Amino acid sequence: MSDLLNYLVQNDENFRRARLPALYSDFRSQRTLNPDGFAANVAAWKRGLSSATLTGHVPSKSTTRNHLTLDLDGDLLLRSLETKQFGRPLALGTVLQDALANGDMMPLQQFLKAKESIYHRSWGSLPWTVVSWGLRQVGIGGPGDNLPKGQFVVLQNLEVVSKAFSEATADRSSPFERTFSKTHFQRTFADGILEKQKLSESDFEVMVRFLSRDKNVLVTDGNTIRIRSSSQAEDVSITEEDSAIASLKELMEDLTRQTEVLNRRIDELNIAAQDAVRRKNKVAAMAALKSKKLAETNLSRRHSTLSQLEDVAAKIEQAADNVQLVKVMQSSTVALRNLNVQVGGADKVDEVLDNLREQMGEVDEVGNIIAEAGPAATVDESEVDDEFEAMLAEERKKEEEAERIKREAQQEKEAEETRRKLAELEKLAPLPVPGQEAKETRPITPVTDTANELGDMHIENDATATETEKMAQMVE
């Protein structure tokens, strides 16, 4: 299985193995017998070939793969799709002819030489387009079945690249950032538009033509390219300033590459000199050191020139920003002048305010007259006070009731806690009174007996206490 067919089988659900017999068959007769099936097969082939071309899996005679054009010279495409089981796709010519007829593909030279947008359709061609479509629906006058020859632009891929380019350049705001020479433009965006793919020189020629003529994204004169800004009014052609900026940027890029080469050259010469010293080869070491010194001198000159060019570039950017600032200030001045004209000046504003105050005074006067005339407008203040006091009394009653309920709940909780503690005490056995055992074992004497009686007595009042003290003195 070829690289192209393997890509289609692995990445396109329309090319699953169960569908391959139908796609490789001669389904041209289905144009009238089964129009839906014919359209499905044609659409599957067009989407598959477009995707394979964009990802660089379609073979080409050139050394680099093209991503925006399909190369149909010879039978290279048919051979890349050939399999032992199904052979070659028999209706591929019909598919490609249908793509050309419907504008999905366009011959490369016709695309490049077109003056008007490829999306432009004149009113004069509409009747013939409608008639041709009707004839194709009944199988008359449709596209041929032979495989077309040449290079063809795939418009679907152009749309994908156009969107990716717009996203990649969205943050380029200043004129200096948006202006390039043709060579610098190609080197800058060769690897940054399609993921893991590098656009060929032919791809760039097609893309620049499409973005400048059909999308109005670029402005170019063939040598200088400027990305148009959507937020500012710019010249629709390349100016001398654009050409100067493009030349300056290209020169700076060339000097940067030269400094990189010289840095690598110096490192290599330094290694060569050290190796010659280790080998005791004085002639080779001296030659390497001389070459290193020359390279270092050239590198210093390149850095000095590059520094000067960077200063010039910074001044150009500053001047471009000043131009934009002045334009904004001019437009702001015009806008303010027009607004002030609409306002009419300070005298008119004073007149408007006087009239406004007068009309507001009339409104207040009318309101006062209406208020004085209508009895319904008076309010009895005593009734308002009585109603307010009643509302306060009701609110206090509610608060007292809530406080009483809260207090009763707290008392009930405390009583319950007391009952619980008493129940726990009743469950416990009585503890012996300290000294009780000694009282029982000690011999009874008159003093002891009197002390026991005093211990069992309770003091009820002052007279009882006095009597108890007298008895204690008699015992002593």
Side-chain angles (χ1 to χ4, degrees):
M1 186 179 294
S2 65
D3 177 61
L4 172 58
L5 184 57
N6 183 64
Y7 169 80
L8 294 174
V9 172
Q10 296 294 330
N11 297 276
D12 194 334
E13 62 178 6
N14 292 312
F15 279 82
R16 58 187 183 274
R17 295 187 180 275
R19 284 272 293 147
L20 290 181
L23 294 173
Y24 271 73
S25 66
D26 187 0
F27 53 81
R28 290 173 292 181
S29 60
Q30 294 182 3
R31 182 185 286 121
T32 55
L33 299 177
N34 183 12
D36 292 338
F38 175 81
N41 290 335
V42 170
W45 272 112
K46 288 195 291 187
R47 284 195 299 267
L49 291 177
S50 174
S51 175
T53 302
L54 187 65
T55 54
H57 289 86
V58 176
S60 175
K61 289 184 177 180
S62 60
T63 56
T64 57
R65 296 285 179 92
N66 296 323
H67 303 276
L68 303 179
T69 57
L70 185 62
D71 191 352
L72 298 179
D73 287 332
D75 59 349
L76 186 60
L77 179 61
L78 286 174
R79 284 190 283 109
S80 64
L81 292 171
E82 186 175 1
T83 65
K84 294 182 179 179
Q85 184 178 1
F86 305 109
R88 295 182 176 184
L90 300 177
L92 187 60
T94 303
V95 172
L96 296 175
Q97 292 288 355
D98 183 87
L100 288 172
N102 290 306
D104 298 318
M105 293 170 51
M106 181 180 291
L108 176 59
Q109 294 304 317
Q110 178 183 345
F111 176 86
L112 295 176
K113 294 178 181 179
K115 300 298 183 182
E116 294 183 342
S117 172
I118 58 175
Y119 297 116
H120 175 73
R121 295 289 184 271
S122 63
W123 288 99
S125 63
L126 287 179
W128 172 245
T129 302
V130 174
V131 172
S132 300
W133 178 83
L135 292 175
R136 288 199 300 271
Q137 297 306 306
V138 297
I140 302 175
D145 297 327
N146 295 327
L147 189 70
K149 303 295 182 182
Q151 290 183 311
F152 299 89
V153 178
V154 183
L155 300 186
Q156 175 62 32
N157 293 359
L158 271 176
E159 292 289 348
V160 174
V161 170
S162 173
K163 181 179 179 181
F165 178 82
S166 298
E167 293 175 353
T169 58
D171 58 344
R172 294 178 179 267
S173 56
S174 68
F176 192 85
E177 293 177 319
R178 293 184 282 107
T179 306
F180 306 86
S181 66
K182 184 178 180 181
T183 304
H184 186 206
F185 182 85
Q186 184 172 346
R187 285 199 296 258
T188 302
F189 297 105
D191 299 321
I193 298 180
L194 292 180
E195 185 178 0
K196 299 180 180 180
Q197 302 293 333
K198 184 176 182 179
L199 295 179
S200 65
E201 186 174 352
S202 175
D203 290 335
F204 268 100
E205 186 177 5
V206 172
M207 183 186 73
V208 170
R209 185 62 173 159
F210 180 72
L211 293 177
S212 59
R213 180 191 61 202
D214 304 305
K215 292 295 185 178
N216 291 325
V217 175
L218 301 179
V219 178
T220 180
D221 61 357
N223 296 318
T224 304
I225 300 173
R226 186 182 76 242
I227 303 173
R228 301 186 66 174
S229 174
S230 58
S231 60
Q232 300 172 355
E234 296 179 327
D235 294 329
V236 295
S237 59
I238 297 297
T239 63
E240 293 183 359
E241 292 80 2
D242 295 331
S243 300
I245 291 174
S247 300
L248 178 62
K249 290 179 67 175
E250 185 175 6
L251 180 57
M252 290 173 61
E253 187 185 28
D254 291 340
L255 287 175
T256 301
R257 287 203 310 273
Q258 291 178 20
T259 57
E260 293 174 355
V261 172
L262 287 172
N263 279 321
R264 290 195 297 269
R265 176 63 176 167
I266 290 171
D267 293 338
E268 293 172 357
L269 291 172
N270 187 47
I271 294 174
Q274 293 176 353
D275 182 66
V277 170
R278 284 193 297 268
R279 292 185 287 105
K280 308 300 183 182
N281 189 339
K282 181 179 179 181
V283 175
M286 294 298 292
L289 290 175
K290 288 180 180 180
S291 299
K292 177 185 174 183
K293 291 297 182 182
L294 290 175
E296 289 175 346
T297 302
N298 289 333
L299 179 62
S300 177
R301 291 174 181 174
R302 296 294 188 278
H303 277 302
S304 177
T305 304
L306 184 59
S307 177
Q308 294 176 358
L309 293 179
E310 288 175 348
D311 290 339
V312 173
K315 295 297 182 182
I316 291 177
E317 286 192 88
Q318 182 179 359
D321 292 339
N322 292 337
V323 170
Q324 298 301 326
L325 178 61
V326 171
K327 288 182 179 179
V328 171
M329 295 174 66
Q330 288 177 345
S331 61
S332 301
T333 302
V334 174
L336 287 174
R337 183 183 299 113
N338 294 333
L339 292 174
N340 288 329
V341 169
Q342 295 178 21
V343 170
D347 295 337
K348 184 176 180 180
V349 173
D350 288 338
E351 181 181 356
V352 171
L353 291 177
D354 291 339
N355 293 332
L356 178 61
R357 283 191 289 268
E358 181 180 355
Q359 297 302 319
M360 291 175 64
E362 291 184 3
V363 172
D364 293 338
E365 183 178 357
V366 171
N368 293 333
I369 294 174
I370 294 174
E372 293 175 357
T378 59
V379 178
D380 190 351
E381 296 292 338
S382 61
E383 292 181 359
V384 174
D385 293 338
D386 293 341
E387 185 176 355
F388 178 70
E389 292 296 335
M391 294 175 65
L392 285 179
E394 184 179 357
E395 186 65 23
R396 284 195 295 270
K397 184 177 179 181
K398 292 180 180 179
E399 292 178 354
E400 292 174 356
E401 181 66 18
E403 183 65 26
R404 184 184 62 80
I405 294 173
K406 181 178 179 182
R407 186 170 57 254
E408 290 179 355
Q410 181 66 23
Q411 292 175 354
E412 180 64 25
K413 182 178 179 182
E414 293 176 355
E416 180 66 24
E417 182 67 18
T418 302
R419 286 193 294 269
R420 184 183 63 79
K421 292 181 177 180
L422 290 175
E424 292 179 354
L425 290 175
E426 290 177 357
K427 294 179 181 180
L428 298 176
L431 296 176
V433 179
Q436 184 175 359
E437 295 179 357
K439 182 191 299 184
E440 294 177 355
T441 56
R442 192 167 51 190
I444 302 300
T445 63
V447 177
T448 304
D449 185 41
T450 304
N452 290 338
E453 290 179 1
L454 290 175
D456 294 335
M457 292 176 65
H458 298 281
I459 299 175
E460 296 180 357
N461 47 41
D462 295 339
T464 306
T466 304
E467 184 179 354
T468 303
E469 291 177 358
K470 290 179 180 182
M471 293 179 64
Q473 291 176 0
M474 292 175 61
V475 172
E476 293 175 357

